Amino acid sequence: MPTESALAFLRSIDSRKSLPLAAVIFGPHGFLREYILAAISDRLLADGFHYRSFQVGAGDDFSRVLDEIGGADLFAAKRMVVCRVLRSRRDRGGEEAEDFEAGQGSPASGEAALAAAIESARGPNHLVVVVERDNAPAKIRRAAEKSALMVS
């Protein structure tokens, strides 16, 4: 899907029948990112979704987020999983395989795994990735262009 501007998305959110199962929010203005997240949250929480939030910083991976998306929950049949990619996390490029060989992580918990989760998103859970930078990482952006909502 093409990237939608923040203001156009906010104008049209009430008239949408449903929201895509995955959304990527990024851009230079933090207040707009938060306002878009609040609008999506209000809509999904009104539909009975439970809110789960995760932050991924410099030394973190996406394993907890991926577990939450893929796993079943005894108390929450429908979940809205929010993943904040903090400004401290940089594009790692080919470093994920090197870190795995050094015993520091798993390639199944890096940006490629998150991109695969965005591409193959299926209900009832919704995934919202909030990137606290001007642009989303390349792998995540390419995955979102195929099947998710992108708001900048």
Side-chain angles (χ1 to χ4, degrees):
M1 295 180 153
T3 303
E4 203 169 327
S5 76
L7 296 177
F9 174 77
L10 291 170
R11 276 190 219 110
S12 69
I13 191 166
D14 291 333
S15 64
R16 292 175 185 251
K17 291 184 180 184
S18 65
L19 294 172
L21 296 174
V24 178
I25 303 168
F26 60 94
H29 303 293
F31 68 94
L32 278 177
R33 291 190 305 259
E34 295 302 319
Y35 198 66
I36 293 165
L37 177 61
I40 293 171
S41 297
D42 290 347
R43 173 88 182 264
L44 292 176
L45 293 176
D47 290 341
F49 283 78
H50 292 271
Y51 186 91
R52 302 278 199 276
S53 181
F54 298 92
Q55 294 185 352
V56 179
D60 301 328
D61 61 12
F62 296 99
S63 61
R64 291 185 3 220
V65 176
L66 297 171
D67 290 344
E68 185 69 28
I69 293 169
D73 193 328
L74 184 61
F75 301 106
K78 299 188 302 184
R79 289 168 292 179
M80 174 187 172
V81 179
V82 177
C83 174
R84 291 181 181 276
V85 181
L86 302 178
R87 191 173 291 275
S88 63
R89 182 172 173 88
R90 301 282 181 223
D91 286 328
R92 299 185 65 170
E95 294 177 17
E96 288 176 359
E98 294 168 9
D99 287 349
F100 177 64
E101 291 171 3
Q104 296 177 2
S106 159
S109 61
E111 286 180 0
L114 183 64
I118 290 171
E119 284 183 35
S120 65
R122 58 183 193 275
N125 299 333
H126 282 254
L127 172 64
V128 180
V129 179
V130 181
V131 181
E132 295 188 351
R133 286 189 274 164
D134 293 352
N135 292 312
K139 288 180 186 177
I140 294 173
R141 190 176 59 247
R142 281 193 300 269
E145 285 172 352
K146 293 179 185 175
S147 61
L149 170 70
M150 287 193 341
V151 183
S152 173

